[in-house]
Amino acid sequence: MTTTGTADFKHSKCYANTEGGCSTRISGEHFVSHSLIRLYTFDDPHVTIRHNSGFGVRNPVSPRRFVANVLCEAHNNGLSDADAAALKFATFLRDIALRYRNGSGAWGANESVEVSGDDFQRWVLKLLATHAAGNAITADDELVKSPILEDSIHLLLNRAAWPSTWGLCVAADATNLDLKFDPFTRLETVTDDWWGVTPMLKNGDQTLVGGVVELAGVGFGLSLYNPGRGAPGFDLPANPLRGSIQRPSFMAWELNGVRKQVNFTWNDHHEHRNITYTMDRT
Ligand SMILES: [Zn+2]
């Protein structure tokens, strides 16, 4: 098995091949991380999965077939830190949700977990890029071929720094229903609605320019362009990223003064704000 890449080899089916470094074998890249599928399906050997958004894999398949052959093994393996960050985030929130049981269980004591924000941001980008490369995106009910910016690949492979206006963001405005922030009071977030993806495509050539990825009941926006924060158009209802904050240093959920907190670590030089979602007292 070839798992290391060759500097000047570009596998024609690997969307991360822009500067070589590919291995000769293509790997089945899961549309959503296999480790997450296992977490949410309790490793049930009979479980099936499909896209429930009307695109991608429409008929239920076994998790091992919920893949797109769009990354070589070397580049796929190189993104395992991104999968690990997503798994850590989801495991923390899911565990609390299962204990809390929408208020019928126990909220417990203060808890926190540390997740690499840089790796999590790359996981969101990887999920979007895999859907674009895997021909799993539709617009107006038509399957579209969505090109991936070369800059996106540089960011995915840690070859470039994220511009300050680009990147991950989370909800900071409760009226924006496009960015979810409730991991605990909807039981579906631990059963059949634990992830989702809504790509954002550029008008005209349909280039992937970002999107919203949901995990464990939390929506993460991602922009691969300057979405114009601070300008009047940013807060229009058509913008799913409205009212968000970028790259949080932490997200916390507080109930009766007890906090569950995800601390994100970052190696960039950008400003990092934080957000606390206060839940209704019980
Ligand atoms: Zn490759």
Side-chain angles (χ1 to χ4, degrees):
M1 182 186 285
T2 304
T3 53
T4 50
T6 307
D8 58 357
F9 180 58
K10 300 180 179 185
H11 197 297
S12 61
K13 288 186 176 174
C14 175
Y15 72 75
N17 72 1
T18 52
E19 292 192 358
C22 287
S23 54
T24 52
R25 280 172 63 122
I26 208 77
S27 66
E29 165 67 9
H30 282 80
F31 282 112
V32 62
S33 313
H34 201 188
S35 54
L36 287 168
I37 298 173
R38 282 195 220 104
L39 174 71
Y40 281 97
T41 59
F42 311 95
D43 245 342
D44 176 354
H46 304 296
V47 78
T48 58
I49 186 168
R50 67 181 190 113
H51 285 100
N52 54 15
S53 47
F55 58 71
V57 179
R58 294 173 189 227
N59 295 312
V61 297
S62 70
R64 112 192 123 72
R65 292 179 55 211
F66 195 61
V67 295
N69 294 318
V70 293
L71 279 175
C72 71
E73 279 184 352
H75 281 125
N76 198 349
N77 293 343
L79 292 165
S80 58
D81 288 351
D83 290 315
L87 181 63
K88 201 171 180 187
F89 175 87
T91 301
F92 179 73
L93 293 187
R94 174 182 169 276
D95 188 46
I96 296 165
L98 287 174
R99 280 183 270 132
Y100 180 58
R101 295 199 302 276
N102 191 20
S104 64
W107 182 243
N110 288 329
E111 286 174 83
S112 66
V113 70
E114 186 176 290
V115 174
S116 163
D118 302 290
D119 289 342
F120 193 93
Q121 182 171 244
R122 286 163 62 233
W123 176 79
V124 172
L125 173 55
K126 180 177 83 139
L127 195 148
L128 288 165
T130 297
H131 279 77
N135 291 327
I137 293 178
T138 51
D140 301 325
D141 291 332
E142 297 280 324
L143 207 56
V144 296
K145 183 77 193 150
S146 178
I148 300 172
L149 294 166
E150 194 161 342
D151 282 345
S152 303
I153 305 303
H154 292 324
L155 294 169
L156 186 66
L157 301 181
N158 258 341
R159 288 197 297 238
W162 287 79
S164 64
T165 55
W166 297 26
L168 195 78
C169 61
V170 298
D173 171 2
T175 67
N176 176 4
L177 303 180
D178 295 321
L179 276 182
K180 295 179 181 171
F181 56 92
D182 176 9
F184 303 121
T185 68
R186 290 176 60 248
L187 290 174
E188 300 93 313
T189 58
V190 292
T191 55
D192 56 0
D193 192 22
W194 55 269
W195 78 291
V197 53
T198 308
M200 288 161 51
L201 309 179
K202 192 172 155 190
N203 286 336
D205 68 3
Q206 314 275 27
T207 298
L208 179 72
V209 291
V212 174
V213 170
E214 288 169 10
L215 180 62
V218 182
F220 291 89
L222 190 87
S223 62
L224 300 163
Y225 65 105
N226 180 356
R229 287 173 188 278
F234 187 77
D235 291 317
L236 293 176
N239 179 14
L241 309 185
R242 67 191 178 280
S244 61
I245 60 165
Q246 290 181 275
R247 290 179 278 263
S249 57
F250 69 74
M251 302 174 82
W253 289 264
E254 189 173 301
L255 176 64
N256 299 337
V258 178
R259 295 166 70 81
K260 310 294 183 181
Q261 184 161 319
V262 179
N263 297 311
F264 289 102
T265 59
W266 298 94
N267 284 318
D268 61 34
H269 301 288
H270 302 311
E271 181 196 6
H272 299 285
R273 292 162 63 189
N274 60 69
I275 182 81
T276 297
Y277 307 104
T278 304
M279 297 162 64
D280 292 335
R281 286 182 167 272
T282 53

